[in-house]
Structures are given as C-alpha cells and as structure tokens.
Amino acid sequence: MKVLVPVKRVVDYNVKVRVKSDNTGVDIANVKMSMNPFDEIALEEAMRLKESGKVTEVVAISCGVTQCQETLRTAMAIGADRAILVETESDIQPLAVAKLLKALADKEQPQLIILGKQAIDDDCNQTGQMLAALLGWPQATFASKVVLEDGKVTVTREVDGGLETLALTLPAIITTDLRLNEPRYVTLPNIMKAKKKPLDTVKPADLGVDVSSRLKTLKVVEPAKRSAGIMVPDVATLVAKLRNEAKVI
C-alpha cells in the first residue's frame, strides 16, 4: 500500500510573524521556516502505519519554491521513502494545491492520502476537502485516531458532542488533528540517510495544472492591540461598565 503525505513549508511556529511595512503581506526574509505542524502529524501517522506493516511506501509531496526541498529532506529524515517537489514561484492557493495533488495522485495511484487539516500560515483548512472532491474519494477530516485494516480505514474524529467514528473504503483522504499523535524527533543518522533518498522535481505545467491565483490580497494588517484590563470594586460596577461602556448587555 502506498501513502502520499503532502507537507508545506511555513514560518516556524515559534517565530513572531511581522507584517511588511507596505501591508502587502508577511515578512519572511531571514525568518526560520519549517514543516507545517499538522503535516508533521500526518507524516508521523503514515510512518506508524508503515512500521506496523500495513503500508509499504510513504511518498512526501510539497508544492512551492526551491527551498521546499529542505522540508522534503526533513520528511525523508523522519522516514518517507522518497519525495516529489512541484516547483513554482507562484503564490499557490488551496485549490491549485488540490489540483496539483490530484494530478500526482492520478500518476502515483496511492491507496491513502494523509495531510494536515490546515496550514498555520493561511489557516484555510480547504486543501484536503477540495482534493477529496476532485478525486471523488471518501474523506475523514480532523482525525484523532486512525485504524487501517481489511481494506478499509476507520477514523475517529472529535465533534461538538463528543466523538464520531467513520469507516471509509480505500482509496481515501484523511486530514489530521493535533491529538492524533506526537511527531518524532529527527535523528542525525536519519538526516544523513535522507540525503541519498530520491527527490523528484516537476513543474505545474508538467502536470497540466494552472496555478494562477483566483484570489487577490488587498491588504494585510496586524490585529488591533488589546487595551489593558481594569479592576472593579464590585459586581454592580462591573455590570454598569458592561452595559454603558462596553455595551455588551
């Protein structure tokens, strides 16, 4: 069984994001970049399925600039068997990514695609769902538990009222939530081994996909700073302020 795991290169979650002075976007010059945390969880789950003997090959995929090769090498250091980079300088949006992944899925013929539920840079939470629609495959989003057996996959997901369990026939799409697992650390020997693993590079045109933007960002601004709180002497004063100043009651 082959599993595809898309991984995205994003600003590291420990970095404080700064908006450019001209408000055209986020400043990523000389900023540490890393693999999207939700994609790390997806890759970890794929590796656990492989280690259990239920998966034979894990292929990592990334779409973006040349530097995404670093993210793919990290994925191979974690354990992916090989990697594919769809190289483009365009600012690709979720629908374009889904189309690229569909083209690769048609070529690779995987039985399962596991990806993070969202990327921490745009927080769109769209790619997995769009990919499932394009492929016509069943999907289970926000997975907190995955069980693969007897040609089907059972996924437990958290919903407002508790837990929901879905049984999907393969091939299928799964998007991962935080509580699914805890990704492993990359070891130095595995980093060295990853340098010898195959990494193929293709262009969107090679896959017959148009990645031109359908949305235009007009302006990017930082959230307004919250004002400091104040202490009130009693409940009556609090209610008065909520009614007369905040006007929330």
Side-chain angles (χ1 to χ4, degrees):
M1 177 182 288
K2 182 189 295 185
V3 176
L4 298 188
V5 183
V7 295
K8 186 175 184 181
R9 178 177 180 262
V10 298
V11 175
D12 189 88
Y13 69 91
N14 287 312
V15 173
K16 179 176 173 55
V17 176
R18 300 183 183 277
V19 175
K20 292 180 179 178
S21 57
D22 58 2
N23 298 115
T24 58
V26 173
D27 187 5
I28 60 172
N30 301 316
V31 169
K32 181 184 178 182
M33 308 292 282
S34 61
M35 186 187 302
N36 179 49
F38 289 104
D39 296 339
E40 283 189 89
I41 294 170
L43 184 58
E44 174 65 25
E45 192 64 22
M47 295 314 306
R48 294 187 183 189
L49 291 173
K50 183 182 178 185
E51 289 165 356
S52 68
K54 296 172 182 176
V55 168
T56 55
E57 184 181 24
V58 176
V59 183
I61 299 172
S62 192
C63 306
V65 295
T66 306
Q67 289 87 340
C68 289
Q69 290 185 18
E70 300 169 9
T71 307
L72 289 172
R73 291 293 178 194
T74 300
M76 289 189 286
I78 291 172
D81 298 286
R82 57 188 177 92
I84 303 172
L85 170 62
V86 183
E87 188 176 6
T88 175
E89 295 295 328
S90 302
D91 181 19
I92 51 178
Q93 294 163 353
L95 180 58
V97 175
K99 289 180 177 179
L100 292 171
L101 294 176
K102 178 190 182 298
L104 289 172
D106 290 340
K107 179 181 178 183
E108 294 286 336
Q109 293 295 304
Q111 285 71 53
L112 194 61
I113 300 178
I114 308 178
L115 64 164
K117 69 172 184 177
Q118 65 194 73
I120 62 171
D121 52 1
D122 56 22
D123 277 334
C124 283
N125 179 23
Q126 295 174 338
T127 304
Q129 293 88 328
M130 288 177 171
L131 178 58
L134 291 172
L135 287 169
W137 291 6
Q139 62 174 308
T141 57
F142 313 144
S144 60
K145 183 180 179 181
V146 175
V147 178
L148 180 62
E149 58 185 3
D150 301 328
K152 69 176 183 180
V153 59
T154 303
V155 176
T156 302
R157 57 194 303 269
E158 296 180 1
V159 294
D160 291 341
L163 298 177
E164 179 182 54
T165 302
L166 304 175
L168 311 179
T169 56
L170 300 178
I173 307 283
I174 297 174
T175 71
T176 59
D177 209 343
L178 279 175
R179 276 170 283 279
L180 178 58
N181 60 51
E182 184 175 343
R184 67 194 67 186
Y185 290 103
V186 182
T187 62
L188 182 57
N190 286 337
I191 292 174
M192 301 307 293
K193 291 177 184 177
K195 294 180 179 180
K196 298 180 180 179
K197 292 183 179 180
L199 194 162
D200 299 325
T201 301
V202 297
K203 300 288 187 181
D206 300 333
L207 301 173
V209 176
D210 178 15
V211 295
S212 56
S213 298
R214 294 171 177 264
L215 302 174
K216 181 180 180 181
T217 301
L218 301 179
K219 190 177 183 181
V220 177
V221 295
E222 291 187 11
K225 292 184 178 179
R226 296 178 62 181
S227 56
I230 58 171
M231 298 291 291
V232 294
D234 50 44
V235 175
T237 306
L238 172 62
V239 172
K241 285 185 175 294
L242 290 175
R243 179 181 291 120
N244 301 324
E245 297 181 17
K247 298 187 184 301
V248 294
I249 60 172

